[in-house]
Amino acid sequence: MAKIRIGIVGYGNLGRGVEAAIRQNEDMELVAVFSRRDPSTVKIKTENVPVYLVEDAKNYKDQIDVMILCGGSATDLPEQVPHFAQWFNTIDSFDTHAKIPEFFDSVDTVAEQNGTVSIISVGWDPGLFSLNRLLGEVVLPVGTTYTFWGDGLSQGHSDAVRRIEGVKGGVQYTLPIKEAVDRVRSGENPELSTREKHARECFVVVEEGADKAKIEKEIIEMPNYFSDYDTTVNFISEEELQQNHAGMPHGGFVIRSGESGEGDKQIMEFSLKLQSNPMFTSSVLVAYARAAHKLRAKGDKGAKTVFDIPYGLLSPKTPAELRKELL
């Protein structure tokens, strides 16, 4: 069988993760990496695979089955995904939950017109967590769904900390509050505020002479990021930041607490504990690239989400093999 030919747009943490994940899937091969940087400065790990400028990607339409877009959700993906859907089946990890409906519509219009398949908002949340929220609702229609994140490093919140004047470096961790988790797991079905579910902890390196008290106050009172949470700010050295906070761990869990038909309490839970957020997300993207290729081969087109993809399409195994080995 011919291998699924994959292209990567963007070679940051996520792009490098996609490259690594492709090597674990024997039915796939990396054809090219596309970057906004000078291709001569981008060194990838896969031998004999070229790096091109992003604007040249459309010239390789006939050489790539699925393009995996590894840009950021704030500015990159809203522009890139509809653009690339003109020529390629695409996978992306757009994760701004509130904007997913309008993002879907913009991609769907292009993909429908050009006969491509674009699976949007792929990852673990949105993505795998979304599927488990759905599964909990349909199996236990009388109940409540809770999503907890962490312990994990939040890249967006860390960036917000680093933008503060006087901050030289820093990271922020999201921490689920154990008391809240225990109440949910007990079947209590509590109503929990944002502050009751998660706390935030920051580790910050400041510029010489910076006002630590001012920086701490600015972090704690920052709207949309920290003001709704109990936030702890720790000032550390640059060496400690590099030594203890260079990784990108994350994870969390989705819990559905509900009742079955006779009023029996039931708990469903799905959890992840990730040493590297981008490396795991990359593995999810690659699995859904296989599904996009299969859908297009059957004549499907348009934008899709994880809700539209049968699990069997994610696997390299045949339906007969899946029935025999996993059912």
Side-chain angles (χ1 to χ4, degrees), residues 226-247:
F226 298 103
S227 60
D228 292 333
Y229 301 85
D230 290 332
T231 301
T232 303
V233 179
N234 305 282
F235 292 102
I236 60 174
S237 68
E238 194 166 9
E239 292 74 21
E240 186 178 351
L241 180 69
Q242 294 172 353
Q243 183 175 345
N244 298 332
H245 303 284

Side-chain angles (χ1 to χ4, degrees), residues 127-136 288 306-309 311 314:
L128 303 186
F129 274 20
S130 312
L131 291 168
N132 281 275
R133 286 189 283 265
L134 171 64
L135 191 60
Y288 275 87
V306 294
F307 298 134
D308 305 311
I309 310 302
Y311 276 17
L314 304 177

Side-chain angles (χ1 to χ4, degrees), residues 2 34 36 52 64 101-102 111-112 114 126 128 134 140 187 190-191 197-198 227 274 296 314 322:
F34 299 91
R36 286 178 293 206
Y52 301 115
I64 292 172
E102 63 186 80
E112 283 280 356
N114 292 277
L128 303 186
L134 171 64
L140 295 173
E191 290 187 13
K197 289 189 292 185
H198 295 93
S227 60
L274 311 177
R296 186 67 199 107
L314 304 177
L322 292 174

Side-chain angles (χ1 to χ4, degrees), residues 18 49 52 77 123 150 188 222 244-245 266 297 321:
V18 168
V49 170
Y52 301 115
L77 295 177
E188 182 183 329
M222 189 183 297
N244 298 332
H245 303 284
Q266 316 287 7
E321 288 172 330

